[in-house]
């Protein structure tokens, strides 16, 4: 099992550009999440999904979009990148919601200049 | 305002010392989790506490869930350099679906 994989590992964007961060899990988890982590800080939830076709906003959804067409994949789309979106992005998955372990990917380090 | 407040934010200690990290909230949680994150990696789950007053031990780490299920603590005995990392508490307040993470405690253990 690869667990949760994310691509790319690093990316530099210019202001106004768009990109998609990819996330795939092979554990057949229904729940998937996107977080951002600013330097020295905890994780803030951007979006989450409780199953294919169902997504919901987290704490900081503005400037991002998600889709969940399959159980395995949960891509995060940045439209019109801004310097405030410079961060490390983590994708995670879990068998169910609260009380169950979340498995995290290795992260994508994004810089917007 | 952070739903989960962690203290201290930073801790630098010598190998062999004991320490306690706190995670506090005004909200009630059905469960709380503790994760450890090493540089360049995603967080990894250490423990989940579910019952108010529960104490769980993981080798030199002791986790406690408050009686009212609003707070938790992590105590490390005889810290080692391998304990260095960012410790995060996380929980879903009663009635919410998704986890909220605390801001973390960055621990450095000097040899």
């Amino acid at each position: 099992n690869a667990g949760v994989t994310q691509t790319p590992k690093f990316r530099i964007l210019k202001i106004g550009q768009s990109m998609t961060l990819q996330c795939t899990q092979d554990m057949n988890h229904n729940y998937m999440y996107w977080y951002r982590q600013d330097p020295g800080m905890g994780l803030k939830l951007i979006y989450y999904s409780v199953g294919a076709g169902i997504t919901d906003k987290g704490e900081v959804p503005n400037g991002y979009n998600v889709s969940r067409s399959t159980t395995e994949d949960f891509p995060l789309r940045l439209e019109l990148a801004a310097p405030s979106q410079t961060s490390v992005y983590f994708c995670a998955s879990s068998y169910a919601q609260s009380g169950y372990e979340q498995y995290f990917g290795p992260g994508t380090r994004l810089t917007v200049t | 305002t952070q739903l989960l407040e962690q203290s201290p934010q930073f801790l630098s200690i010598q190998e062999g010392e004991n320490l306690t990290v706190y995670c506090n909230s005004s909200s009630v949680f059905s469960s709380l989790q503790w994760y450890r994150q090493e540089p360049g990696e995603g967080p990894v789950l250490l423990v989940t506490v579910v019952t108010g007053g529960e104490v769980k031990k993981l080798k030199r780490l002791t986790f406690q869930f408050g009686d009212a299920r609003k707070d938790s603590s992590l105590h490390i005995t005889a810290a080692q350099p391998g304990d260095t990392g960012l410790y995060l508490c996380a929980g879903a307040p009663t009635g919410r679906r998704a986890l909220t993470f605390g801001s973390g405690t960055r621990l450095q253990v000097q040899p």
Side-chain angles (χ1 to χ4, degrees):
Chain A
N1 279 357
V4 179
T5 57
Q6 292 183 237
T7 56
K9 287 187 73 69
F10 304 94
R11 183 73 185 268
I12 298 174
L13 280 182
K14 293 191 186 307
I15 294 171
Q17 287 185 321
S18 301
M19 76 163 294
T20 299
L21 281 66
Q22 301 292 344
C23 176
T24 300
Q25 53 92 8
D26 62 0
M27 296 173 282
N28 202 32
H29 286 166
N30 281 324
Y31 290 72
M32 295 188 74
Y33 315 84
W34 274 106
Y35 295 92
R36 59 175 287 172
Q37 185 175 37
D38 298 329
M41 302 295 287
L43 298 157
K44 291 194 183 298
L45 183 65
I46 305 171
Y47 271 96
Y48 66 101
S49 169
V50 301
I54 307 169
T55 62
D56 209 347
K57 295 179 181 179
E59 299 172 71
V60 289
N62 291 346
Y64 307 95
N65 277 303
V66 293
S67 59
R68 184 94 182 272
S69 56
T70 67
T71 299
E72 295 78 20
D73 300 305
F74 190 38
L76 177 72
R77 177 96 179 144
L78 278 71
E79 307 280 4
L80 299 174
S84 61
Q85 293 177 306
T86 293
S87 191
V88 180
Y89 291 84
F90 288 100
C91 178
S93 72
S94 65
Y95 173 71
Q97 52 191 52
S98 65
Y100 288 86
E101 178 175 4
Q102 289 197 8
Y103 294 83
F104 285 82
T108 294
R109 186 175 296 274
L110 176 68
T111 302
V112 182
T113 62
Chain B
T1 308
Q2 280 281 122
L3 191 61
L4 283 167
E5 298 280 351
Q6 284 189 242
S7 62
Q9 287 187 318
F10 302 97
L11 200 51
S12 181
I13 60 172
Q14 294 295 123
E15 183 175 0
E17 292 185 24
N18 301 333
L19 66 116
T20 302
V21 175
Y22 299 93
C23 176
N24 295 301
S25 178
S26 56
S27 300
V28 176
F29 291 83
S30 55
S31 64
L32 273 179
Q33 297 178 324
W34 285 91
Y35 289 79
R36 186 170 81 196
Q37 184 180 19
E38 300 191 17
E41 298 182 10
V44 176
L45 181 70
L46 295 172
V47 79
T48 300
V49 284
V50 178
T51 306
E54 181 177 5
V55 177
K56 279 191 174 178
K57 289 184 185 289
L58 193 67
K59 297 184 182 177
R60 294 176 294 101
L61 279 59
T62 301
F63 303 86
Q64 187 160 6
F65 199 13
D67 290 340
R69 293 185 291 130
K70 293 183 178 181
D71 56 86
S72 181
S73 63
L74 157 60
H75 182 79
I76 301 179
T77 303
Q80 298 177 359
D83 296 327
T84 293
L86 179 67
Y87 289 81
L88 296 158
C89 66
T94 306
R96 291 205 199 176
R97 300 176 82 172
L99 278 184
T100 294
F101 279 80
S103 54
T105 294
R106 191 166 296 280
L107 172 65
Q108 184 158 25
V109 183
Q110 309 279 3

